[in-house]
């Protein structure tokens, strides 16, 4: 009986040990699964948060880009409006022959301010070319009237607008030739009276009429001479 009792107790202890071992194994397995699930949940949460953060950043960047684009469009439209206004003001000043004066209200300043907004604007560049042509035309008019200093002044102004304009160089050459021709004519006119005097030196000098003395001699007014150039020849004019 004692032996059977001992054997039965051994079997019970073995069963209990096996049960405890099975429970421990099950608990460890459950804990491992719980740890795996927690790790997976943490990883999924981190991925979700990272995705949400990336989406929020993308939305912020898109909003900023849209804002910048709207500002750029508004700025471009304002610049275009200002450009059109400057060009219109330049055209009006050109029409009124306010080419380089008065300061702040002349065609050259309006066109140059337009080019500062858009350096490649053809309308503003054409406006400056038209200013040059106006000055060249004014210089040509003064050359025809024989007022060469004023013609030179107009060409100098044209050169200050577009220094390398071909029309200016051509007109400067024409002006230099005209100045040389007028100088030659002036020298010829100065030498002509002495030549006439030499030709008549052999004859007896004419008697001078008696002149009554006067209390005060009036200063003789010498008429000023100017010239007129019609494009082919020069004509000397006497101006009072």
């Amino acid at each position: 009986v004692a032996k059977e009792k001992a054997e039965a107790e051994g079997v019970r202890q073995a069963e209990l040990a096996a049960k405890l071992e099975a429970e421990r194994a099950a608990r460890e397995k459950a804990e491992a699964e719980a740890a795996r699930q927690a790790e997976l949940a943490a990883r999924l949460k981190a991925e979700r948060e990272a995705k949400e953060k990336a989406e929020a950043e993308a939305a912020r960047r898109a909003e900023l880009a849209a804002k910048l684009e709207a500002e750029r469009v508004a700025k471009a439209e304002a610049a275009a409006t200002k450009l059109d206004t400057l060009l219109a003001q330049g055209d009006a000043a050109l029409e009124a022959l306010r080419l380089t004066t008065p300061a702040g209200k002349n065609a050259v300043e309006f066109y140059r301010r337009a080019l500062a907004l858009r350096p490649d604007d053809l309308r503003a560049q054409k406006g400056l070319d038209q200013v040059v042509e106006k000055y060249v035309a004014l210089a040509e008019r003064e050359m025809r009237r024989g007022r060469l200093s004023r013609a030179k002044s107009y060409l100098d102004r044209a050169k200050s607008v577009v220094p390398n304009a071909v029309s200016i160089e051509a007109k400067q050459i024409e002006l230099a030739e005209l100045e040389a021709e007028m100088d030659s004519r002036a020298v010829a006119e100065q030498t002509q009276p002495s030549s006439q005097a030499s030709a008549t030196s052999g004859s007896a000098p004419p008697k001078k009429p008696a002149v009554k003395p006067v209390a005060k001699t009036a200063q003789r007014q010498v008429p000023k001479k100017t010239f007129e150039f019609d494009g082919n020849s020069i004509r000397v004019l006497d101006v009072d």
Side-chain angles (χ1 to χ4, degrees):
V1 173
K3 184 178 179 181
E4 290 176 356
K5 186 177 181 179
E7 290 176 353
E9 181 64 21
V11 171
R12 189 183 68 79
Q13 290 292 335
E15 290 177 354
L16 178 60
K19 181 180 179 181
L20 292 174
E21 179 63 22
E23 290 177 352
R24 183 187 64 78
R27 185 172 62 251
E28 290 178 352
K29 183 177 180 181
E31 290 175 353
E33 180 63 20
R36 189 184 69 80
Q37 292 291 337
E39 182 180 355
L40 178 61
R43 182 164 59 84
L44 291 175
K45 181 181 179 181
E47 291 177 352
R48 178 178 57 80
E49 290 177 348
K51 183 179 180 180
E52 290 176 352
K53 185 177 180 180
E55 290 175 350
E57 179 66 17
R60 188 187 68 81
R61 289 180 179 273
E63 183 179 355
L64 178 61
K67 181 180 178 181
L68 292 175
E69 178 64 15
E71 291 177 352
R72 185 192 66 78
V73 171
K75 186 176 180 181
E77 291 176 350
T81 301
K82 186 175 181 180
L83 179 67
D84 291 339
T85 300
L86 288 172
L87 290 172
Q89 291 174 324
D91 293 343
L94 179 66
E95 184 69 22
L97 289 182
R98 290 184 281 109
L99 305 180
T100 54
T101 57
K105 295 183 179 180
N106 61 76
V108 170
E109 288 191 37
F110 287 131
Y111 290 135
R112 284 178 175 170
R113 285 166 61 188
L115 286 173
L117 291 176
R118 186 179 294 172
D120 59 347
D121 189 84
L122 297 178
R123 294 171 297 174
Q125 294 172 357
K126 181 180 178 181
L128 291 178
D129 292 337
Q130 288 177 322
V131 170
V132 168
E133 295 309 316
K134 290 282 188 182
Y135 273 132
V136 170
L138 290 170
E140 185 176 0
R141 184 193 68 184
E142 296 305 315
M143 289 167 61
R144 288 197 303 268
R145 295 177 178 180
R147 296 186 287 203
L148 303 190
S149 61
R150 294 190 65 177
K152 183 179 183 301
S153 176
Y154 283 135
L155 291 179
D156 289 341
R157 293 185 189 182
K159 201 171 185 65
S160 70
V161 178
V162 183
N164 57 348
V166 177
S167 58
I168 300 175
E169 183 178 356
K171 194 59 63 176
Q172 284 178 326
I173 293 174
E174 185 178 342
L175 176 61
E177 293 174 349
L178 186 57
E179 286 176 333
E181 186 175 349
M182 286 188 171
D183 289 342
S184 299
R185 181 178 290 272
V187 170
E189 288 180 352
Q190 289 176 359
T191 57
Q192 186 176 3
S194 60
S195 300
Q196 291 177 350
S198 299
T200 58
S201 59
S203 60
K207 293 182 179 181
K208 295 181 180 180
V211 180
K212 295 182 180 180
V214 293
K216 186 176 181 180
T217 304
Q219 186 175 2
R220 182 169 176 261
Q221 298 292 329
V222 180
K224 296 180 180 179
K225 288 188 176 182
T226 187
F227 305 87
E228 182 177 23
F229 178 63
D230 61 5
N232 297 315
S233 62
I234 302 173
R235 187 161 60 92
V236 182
L237 302 175
D238 289 333
V239 181
D240 293 334

